[in-house]
Amino acid sequence: MRVSIHTGMFLGLLLGASVVFAEARLEVQVEPARASLRRNIEGYIGELGERDEQALRRLAPAAEAQARSAAEALGYYHARISSAVRPGDPPTLILRVTPGEPVRLRRVDIRLEGPAAQLEAFRLPQGSRLRPGSQLNHGRYESAKKLIQNQASRLGFFNGRFSQQRLFVDPAAGVADIELVYVSGPRYKLGEVVFQGKIPFDEEFMRRMVPFEAGTPYDADLIAKLQQNLQAPGYFEGVRVDANPTGARGDLVPVVVQLQMRKPRSFGIGAGFSTDVGPRGRANWTRHWANPQGHSYGTEMELSQPKQNVGFWYDIPLDPPMTDKLRFVGGYQYEELADTDTRSRLLKVGPEWHRRLDNGWQQVFSLKWQNEDFRLGDDNGRSTLLLPGVAYSYLNSDHPLDPSRGYRLQVEMAAASEGLLSDANLIHSAVMLKGLTTLADRHRLLGRLQLGGNFTDEYVTVPPSLRFFAGGDQSVRGYEYQTLSPTNSDGDHVGGRYMIAGSLEYQYSLLDKWRVATFVDQGNAFNSLGSSNIKTGVGFGVRWVSPVGPLRVDVAHGVDDNSFRLHFSMGPEL
């Protein structure tokens, strides 16, 4: 008997220990419906935890009080709130809320006093939700105060304070008054920039990266710009800018910059594949700074079956050194164009002036001398040209590798004159436009348009590197690389005076990193604007978003030639 009693007690303890309450549920019913009020009450109360029915009944009065506070925060001072507990597994606490008429703003007085009142950049909180007649919202009142304080801190009014900050609520009358008066005090100034660390550059060169003079009124945007300027050229591995007002001397805030240099040299090597050129290898070597003036230089090489080239460059920073530079370039390239009957050996050298305009456009003025030995079918030739040129490009993109929307514009033009170190008169121009947009997060639309033209009265002297070819991964899919062009009597592709190519593509996102696509491409290269003979390619493909940009695999049908091709390519859509 004694054994059975002890056994029963032991089993009872086990059963009691095994009871685990499920997570209780909260259900907020607002009538008439107010989604913002329901969300605010749910946020105030939060998770209910593991409670049984009796525990929920004990919790109900506190939950009603929290719901009332949540309602008043949105201006509902006359809300009627009741609660009930619905049994179940898990049990549910139900809050029934009738909001009633909200309190509305009667008077709103938001003022700025002191030097900041004369500053156009200091903006007071505005908008219809802070005007007389709008519904009271305590969060908007607090946000208005925070906006004023943040602007004062950003613009250097570190001694500013509220002389008046009052929210008066009369629930009986259903009205509320706001009074905010901020006294800014004097505006602090930026002091001299002090650079710290082992820096191999001249002081004058470093000063060219500072976007302000000592004594400039304090602005946090200028501090951020200084940080950005120092990071842009790629000289430094670490940049830390400290402009702490607690260390101010008088009204001058010291600006101290801690810099850590990167390694002076780097070497890179890579490999890839595309159906245009097959396997491809790349290598580059860079000396990131060569002297106290910030000069840099490097070399790069690319090898594939149809193209091999090696080039060098030497950069001299201009003012500002982050965006403007004088670059001297040179290189040698061997290329088989379209097929083995068309080939080119090209030597090119000359200076380029790179500049970023205030409107975001990249501008490049160049003066290139090139000598090209070429074969077009059975014809051999040599071309020497001195080509002054200009190029403009603009990129608007919401992500550098996998954008969801944006566009790219590129325009370039170069000219040569016979007798001025050139053996032909020539104007060479090219235009490219790309656009991308995303609808409802999953539907992506891409467009591309490429135009090109050579204007000369001696077209036979134009070398292959300046002629136009279409077809391939980045042109008209469904056709082999550079096989859309005029041909000679032997059927060799010899390039055209003009070129047009365009594409429309639709992509659908299946998963986070996977998309399917369908497209139509059109284009050709030709010698007469009246007989363009546009070719069409259609197809479908798959996209995988890799860490270095989308990897594209397409199956394309050349409609006019009844051909099918598999295309591989990689890189950003823009």
Side-chain angles (χ1 to χ4, degrees):
M1 176 67 68
R2 184 179 301 170
V3 174
S4 64
I5 290 174
H6 287 177
T7 304
M9 290 176 62
F10 179 70
L11 291 174
L13 288 172
L14 284 179
L15 290 172
S18 66
V19 174
V20 176
F21 297 128
E23 187 82 19
R25 295 176 53 198
L26 173 67
E27 182 178 314
V28 179
Q29 301 174 356
V30 181
E31 184 62 38
R34 299 285 190 275
S36 60
L37 176 56
R38 176 179 55 78
R39 289 193 298 267
N40 208 45
I41 292 173
E42 292 171 344
Y44 258 66
I45 296 175
E47 299 293 335
L48 297 182
E50 296 177 353
R51 286 183 167 87
D52 62 7
E53 182 180 340
Q54 293 303 318
L56 280 188
R57 294 188 189 280
R58 291 192 296 269
L59 178 67
E64 289 183 25
Q66 289 177 304
R68 188 167 303 280
S69 296
E72 290 177 356
L74 298 184
Y76 295 104
Y77 276 74
H78 303 292
R80 296 194 301 276
I81 302 173
S82 62
S83 63
V85 175
R86 183 170 62 214
D89 186 15
T92 302
L93 174 61
I94 302 172
L95 292 177
R96 299 184 178 90
V97 182
T98 303
E101 283 298 314
V103 172
R104 298 193 176 275
L105 296 177
R106 178 176 56 185
R107 287 192 294 272
V108 179
D109 182 14
I110 302 178
R111 284 182 286 122
L112 191 60
E113 295 180 355
Q118 310 304 318
L119 191 62
E120 186 177 348
F122 203 122
R123 299 180 180 273
L124 290 174
Q126 296 178 357
S128 59
R129 295 180 175 182
L130 278 176
R131 293 175 183 170
S134 62
Q135 183 173 330
L136 170 65
N137 185 308
H138 288 248
R140 295 188 193 122
Y141 168 74
E142 295 298 331
S143 295
K145 291 198 299 181
K146 185 61 70 175
L147 176 63
I148 292 173
Q149 292 171 324
N150 288 346
Q151 286 191 92
S153 177
R154 182 177 65 83
L155 295 172
F157 296 98
F158 299 117
N159 296 332
R161 61 181 180 83
F162 283 104
S163 62
Q164 293 289 339
Q165 48 178 329
R166 188 174 71 98
L167 173 59
F168 170 75
V169 182
D170 184 350
V175 296
D177 299 330
I178 290 177
E179 184 180 14
L180 289 175
V181 181
Y182 192 80
V183 181
S184 69
R187 188 179 188 184
Y188 282 60
K189 299 179 178 63
L190 292 166
E192 193 76 31
V193 177
V194 177
F195 296 102
Q196 296 181 349
K198 294 182 179 180
I199 307 168
F201 304 124
D202 288 341
E203 181 73 13
E204 184 275 334
F205 175 70
M206 295 299 299
R207 293 292 165 197
R208 282 154 55 191
M209 290 189 244
V210 179
F212 55 83
E213 299 288 339
T216 299
Y218 186 98
D219 191 328
D221 288 347
L222 291 176
I223 301 300
K225 182 66 174 175
L226 173 60
Q227 174 105 17
Q228 183 183 38
N229 287 357
L230 292 168
Q231 291 172 333
Y235 298 129
F236 307 107
E237 187 175 80
V239 178
R240 191 180 72 184
V241 181
D242 182 12
N244 194 334
T246 59
R249 295 184 292 271
D251 64 350
L252 282 179
V253 178
V255 182
V256 180
V257 181
Q258 294 280 351
L259 296 171
Q260 181 182 356
M261 298 298 299
R262 71 176 298 172
K263 293 181 179 180
R265 303 172 187 84
S266 65
F267 175 75
I269 190 169
F273 178 86
S274 73
T275 45
D276 281 352
V277 299
R280 177 179 59 193
R282 292 183 180 221
N284 63 76
W285 179 89
T286 303
R287 170 77 190 215
H288 296 286
W289 72 89
N291 55 32
Q293 291 74 45
H295 295 195
S296 59
Y297 56 87
T299 184
E300 52 195 6
M301 179 173 60
E302 180 178 346
L303 300 175
S304 65
Q305 189 278 324
K307 180 190 293 187
Q308 303 91 47
N309 65 59
V310 59
F312 72 90
W313 54 267
Y314 190 99
D315 283 354
I316 301 175
L318 301 177
D319 193 12
M322 304 79 61
T323 58
D324 293 14
K325 63 187 175 185
L326 181 62
R327 166 170 283 197
F328 293 92
V329 298
Y332 174 79
Q333 173 178 288
Y334 176 83
E335 183 175 12
E336 294 178 355
L337 294 97
D339 53 46
T340 54
D341 290 322
T342 302
R343 60 112 179 107
S344 161
R345 292 188 178 93
L346 173 64
L347 179 66
K348 185 183 293 187
V349 65
E352 299 175 346
W353 175 32
H354 293 246
R355 184 186 178 202
R356 182 180 176 88
L357 305 181
D358 293 339
N359 57 14
W361 283 81
Q362 294 284 349
Q363 173 187 273
V364 180
F365 289 117
S366 61
L367 181 63
K368 300 288 182 62
W369 177 86
Q370 69 172 52
N371 181 272
E372 186 169 357
D373 177 68
F374 59 89
R375 182 180 71 220
L376 292 170
D378 295 330
D379 298 327
N380 295 315
R382 181 181 292 275
S383 167
T384 300
L385 297 171
L386 181 67
L387 291 161
V390 62
Y392 288 91
S393 62
Y394 186 87
L395 174 62
N396 182 302
S397 174
D398 60 358
H399 193 278
L401 292 178
D402 185 38
S404 60
R405 53 183 50 83
Y407 57 90
R408 179 187 288 274
L409 306 174
Q410 292 181 196
V411 181
E412 62 180 61
M413 180 175 292
S417 178
E418 188 174 5
L420 295 177
L421 299 180
S422 302
D423 50 25
N425 296 312
L426 172 67
I427 297 176
H428 175 85
S429 62
V431 178
M432 184 183 72
L433 301 90
K434 288 184 176 181
L436 166 65
T437 189
T438 301
L439 305 174
D441 294 331
R442 291 184 176 273
H443 306 274
R444 295 163 56 90
L445 298 174
L446 294 85
R448 168 175 48 86
L449 177 63
Q450 296 167 274
L451 302 170
N454 283 313
F455 305 93
T456 179
D457 53 3
E458 303 172 74
Y459 184 66
V460 293
T461 64
V462 177
S465 64
L466 295 177
R467 297 190 182 193
F468 293 101
F469 297 82
D473 301 339
Q474 307 299 322
S475 180
V476 183
R477 286 165 286 187
Y479 301 86
E480 289 188 41
Y481 179 53
Q482 295 185 332
T483 57
L484 296 183
S485 85
T487 57
N488 61 14
S489 58
D490 295 327
D492 303 317
H493 298 279
V494 296
R497 286 175 177 258
Y498 313 105
M499 185 271 294
I500 183 171
S503 174
L504 287 175
E505 180 170 315
Y506 167 76
Q507 297 179 1
Y508 179 77
S509 298
L510 291 173
L511 299 170
D512 185 38
K513 300 292 185 182
W514 290 92
R515 303 171 186 142
V516 292
T518 183
F519 57 85
V520 56
D521 295 350
Q522 288 190 312
N524 205 344
F526 41 88
N527 285 329
S528 172
L529 294 174
S531 58
S532 55
N533 189 23
I534 297 297
K535 302 288 188 178
T536 300
V538 298
F540 62 90
V542 177
R543 310 286 181 262
W544 175 61
V545 183
S546 77
V548 293
L551 173 65
R552 294 176 285 272
V553 180
D554 293 319
V555 177
H557 172 51
V559 175
D560 300 271
D561 293 1
N562 196 28
S563 59
F564 288 88
R565 285 191 61 79
L566 186 65
H567 293 271
F568 294 91
S569 59
M570 189 177 217
E573 305 283 9
L574 296 177

